[in-house]
Amino acid sequence: MIVTIDGVAASGKSSVSSGVARALGIPYVSSGLLYRAATLLGLEARLDLGEAAPLLSHLQMLPLRLEPLPEGNRIWQGERDLTPQLHQSAVDAGVSAVAAHPELRAWVDEQLRRLPPPFVAEGRDMGTNVFPQAGAKFYLTASPRIRAERRAAERPEDVDAIEAALVERDARDRVQSAPAPDARVIDTGPLSLEEVIAEILKGVKG
Ligand SMILES: Nc1ncnc2c1ncn2[C@@H]1O[C@H](COP(=O)(O)OP(=O)(O)O)[C@@H](O)[C@H]1O
Ligand SMILES: Nc1ccn([C@H]2C[C@H](O)[C@@H](COP(=O)(O)OP(=O)(O)O)O2)c(=O)n1
């Protein structure tokens, strides 16, 4: 079984996927962390994120490992845990440029398609491009203001600045962020986290 949960930035994908996966007793996979790790390593090496080839060869020298823990995925580069650095603003600002390169998307997709089902996969194009065969597909949305308020509760940043950055990232990610035609779209705005998880579990179990 593969369940896909796609959606816009900060719509609740990873929290919801973690809850759904735990209830089903299967792992969840956070595809965005691979794009974030590629961005972090590119920034650290002072590479131009607008160019795919140097970044890709850099990544091929530093193989990454995604650890799909139920409480939150982690990304390792050898013995180094990159996870704590993946949600900093510099990575947020650079990640859409990295995710726009078809070569980088192929690099991420190859790692995801190697994973043995069952799992819940979350991101932007899990239901459309990476796992079109998935048995249950969902797409999360919420207004930019609500998403910014939720993020502001996690980070010491101004809610207006977070909202502006989210809107900009949504626009840059639009190409790969369309819902699959067979995905169920859920507006998480008026719902609690538990209600979103329950709604999805109902859909998965039919
Ligand atoms: N109804 C809800 N649905 C989803 N997430 C919610 C909801 N209410 C609050 N949140 C919170 O929103 C925050 C952003 O969610 P996250 O899972 O990080 O989103 P994403 O993976 O899409 O970036 C988390 O702190 C989450 O707990
Ligand atoms: N399947 C995916 C997952 C993420 N991305 C890109 C788009 C996003 O800006 C970044 C980071 O995604 P992530 O889901 O980790 O973060 P947000 O929920 O957007 O805060 O990666 C993508 O293009 N395709």
Side-chain angles (χ1 to χ4, degrees), residues 97-121:
V98 170
H101 297 304
E103 299 90 332
L104 264 297
R105 302 201 70 79
W107 174 83
V108 168
D109 295 354
E110 194 190 308
Q111 302 185 57
L112 295 171
R113 291 193 183 114
R114 260 194 247 133
L115 299 168
F119 53 75
V120 177

Side-chain angles (χ1 to χ4, degrees), residues 7-17 30 36 87 122 124 140 146-147 150-151 153-154 169 188-196:
V8 288
S11 55
K13 300 178 298 294
S14 44
S15 318
V16 169
S17 298
S30 192
R36 288 176 176 276
H87 285 91
E122 62 100 346
R124 298 292 188 290
L140 306 185
I146 286 181
R147 291 184 278 137
R150 290 175 182 167
R151 270 278 191 269
E154 300 170 339
R169 199 144 58 85
T188 71
L191 303 175
S192 70
L193 183 56
E194 291 68 30
E195 286 171 326
V196 179

Side-chain angles (χ1 to χ4, degrees), residues 50-81:
E51 279 195 49
L55 180 58
L56 195 59
S57 34
H58 185 61
L59 293 170
Q60 277 157 352
M61 291 189 310
L62 307 169
L64 298 175
R65 186 168 59 85
L66 183 121
E67 190 181 16
L69 295 175
E71 65 277 12
N73 284 200
R74 305 201 81 78
I75 300 245
W76 298 85
Q77 180 217 320
E79 294 296 296
R80 179 181 172 208
D81 182 0

